[in-house]
Each structure stands twice: as structure tokens, then as C-alpha cells.
Amino acid sequence: KILNHFYPNYEINYGSDGNFTLYEDGHFIIDHKDGKNIGRVCVIIIYLSSELEYNNDGGGELVIKTNSKKEYTIKPILGTFSLLDFTKNNIHHQVNEVKNGFKRYAFINFLNENDLKK
């Protein structure tokens, strides 16, 4: 229902295969844009790690940099999720280095369109 609210003009293929990810000490993703992916609507990342294990210094945060140079940092803890839109945006983002024994568990799913609704 949430994605239908945000993407009323798209028929989203919910059969897309998601993946569970694990980042441990030293793992990170450098600042980048995903590039042009025809038919890609968005990616949703659902964080699964305990806040108690994060201890405010575990790293692994998703950092999003908007076109207007604003920066948002999302802690990778249970109860938090991120949705990156690709229909109108292709923003810079990165994952900070994981540290201090933290294990960053997440579920990630790239969602694509079936066909544009008429």
C-alpha cells in the first residue's frame, strides 16, 4: 500500500527477488549513484540489527546526499527502513564503514515496474 501511494502511475513487480545482507567490521560502500536502470522504480532497505548492538558507534549508516547538498544519515537499526526513489532521482549515497564488532543485517529489494499504467 505504501508503494502504491508513492507510485500511483506504476504497476510494480512485487515478485522481485530481495536479498539479506550482512556487513561486518571493515565493510562499506563508497559514495556513488546507481546510474540508469531502465524500469527500476525504487529500492527498499529494511534494517534488522539490534539497537543494543549498535551502541551509537557501530558504523554502517546509510548517508544520502541530495542534489541541494543536504545530507541525511540513517542508522541501520531494527525498526528503520530506507526507500531510494529512481523514477525522478538518482542521488549520491554511501554506507559508512562498519566497526566495533557491529553486524549490520538488512533486507534489500530493488523493485521494478511491470508496465506503465495508462
Side-chain angles (χ1 to χ4, degrees), residues 19-35:
N19 292 293
F20 288 95
T21 61
L22 168 62
Y23 288 48
E24 298 180 284
D25 283 347
H27 294 168
F28 64 95
I29 298 176
I30 62 170
D31 181 40
H32 70 284
K33 290 183 174 186
D34 282 7

Side-chain angles (χ1 to χ4, degrees), residues 93-112:
H93 56 284
Q94 68 187 50
V95 175
N96 289 339
E97 183 176 350
V98 174
K99 54 189 176 179
N100 298 322
F102 178 61
K103 294 188 183 326
R104 180 188 187 266
Y105 294 100
F107 176 77
I108 184 170
N109 196 0
F110 290 91
L111 295 162
N112 300 302

Side-chain angles (χ1 to χ4, degrees), residues 62-112:
L62 175 67
V63 179
I64 298 169
K65 299 173 186 171
T66 69
N67 295 333
S68 61
K69 307 297 181 205
K70 289 185 180 181
E71 192 171 290
Y72 298 92
T73 302
I74 296 94
K75 290 183 182 179
I77 55 175
L78 185 64
T80 306
F81 75 94
S82 301
L83 187 142
L84 300 180
D85 171 66
F86 296 113
T87 63
K88 299 175 188 158
N89 303 290
N90 189 8
I91 57 175
H92 282 270
H93 56 284
Q94 68 187 50
V95 175
N96 289 339
E97 183 176 350
V98 174
K99 54 189 176 179
N100 298 322
F102 178 61
K103 294 188 183 326
R104 180 188 187 266
Y105 294 100
F107 176 77
I108 184 170
N109 196 0
F110 290 91
L111 295 162
N112 300 302

